[in-house]
Amino acid sequence: TKEVKATEKKMLTVPAKSTATAPDLVTVVENGETEKTWDVVEKMPQYPGGDKELMGYLARNIKYPVEAQKNGTQGKVIVGFTVNSAGEVVNQKVLRGVDAYLDKEAVRVVSTFPTWIPGEQKGEKVSVRYVIPIIFRMGDGATTPETTSSSNENPLVVVGYGARKEESGVNLNNLDRKS
């Protein structure tokens, strides 16, 4: 009798070259292996306790930078990060910034997130990209921190001396210009 061994073929897909900056295609995990990073999956990653807890965490931990307040700087910082298959938040970066002080504060707080519930695709835990918009806006002397509801349409608004809940009917996506 002759013994036959089956071999497994592995295929590597390389994207076409482009002048645009390509996003990271893989994330290196602690054991040295690589895993694919997804943009959309069947079950998206979730902050422990849900979106309301996420907004509460941001409201408690983001501090409007004093220098940005002195300069009257305000606007929307879009922060991207990856929630890996272990639920760790990695690769935090500003996707669209306002100024160095606000950008640094937004990334600082995202870097302190606790472990998330990882995303899933076909029943397996996978790495997923996630984006959070955070609006910094000078207030009218507001002193009570509160949060908005969570979604891309209603991002967290950090007001001069804390965060304040926006009144319904306000389109928060139009607040990204500097004053």
Side-chain angles (χ1 to χ4, degrees):
T1 40
K2 193 175 186 181
E3 191 174 47
V4 178
K5 292 184 178 179
T7 59
E8 180 180 328
K9 284 187 175 180
K10 293 190 178 188
M11 194 176 237
L12 176 64
T13 305
V14 179
K17 290 186 178 182
S18 168
T19 57
T21 304
D24 298 331
L25 297 177
V26 294
T27 300
V28 178
V29 292
E30 199 168 305
N31 64 7
E33 296 179 17
T34 58
E35 58 183 3
K36 179 178 179 178
T37 300
W38 297 76
D39 290 319
V40 178
V41 291
E42 296 166 347
K43 184 177 176 188
M44 291 297 285
Q46 186 177 18
Y47 184 84
D51 289 343
K52 186 174 181 179
E53 288 297 318
L54 171 60
M55 291 298 106
Y57 181 86
L58 289 169
R60 287 187 305 274
N61 291 286
I62 289 181
K63 306 296 181 220
Y64 206 117
V66 174
E67 286 299 317
Q69 288 183 40
K70 287 179 185 175
N71 296 335
T73 307
Q74 54 188 9
K76 186 188 319 182
V77 178
I78 308 294
V79 180
F81 55 92
T82 301
V83 178
N84 69 20
S85 60
E88 298 164 331
V89 175
V90 296
N91 302 328
Q92 307 88 349
K93 60 185 164 189
V94 173
L95 300 178
R96 191 176 92 203
V98 176
D99 85 341
Y101 297 111
L102 299 182
D103 297 353
K104 185 177 178 181
E105 179 60 11
V107 169
R108 182 196 68 78
V109 172
V110 168
S111 299
T112 65
F113 280 159
T115 301
W116 286 43
I117 299 165
E120 292 184 19
Q121 183 69 18
K122 296 183 181 177
E124 286 187 38
K125 291 177 175 26
V126 295
S127 288
V128 182
R129 286 185 191 90
Y130 207 90
V131 175
I132 295 178
I134 301 172
I135 295 175
F136 291 85
R137 188 178 69 192
M138 299 303 295
D140 310 340
T143 57
T144 306
E146 295 180 25
T147 61
T148 64
S149 61
S150 170
S151 77
N152 284 344
E153 292 78 36
N154 293 313
L156 178 72
V157 177
V158 180
V159 181
Y161 302 100
R164 178 176 66 185
K165 186 173 183 175
E166 287 301 303
E167 297 173 24
S168 61
V170 174
N171 183 351
L172 298 175
N173 291 320
N174 292 332
L175 299 175
D176 61 347
R177 60 189 179 278
K178 294 180 184 177
S179 294

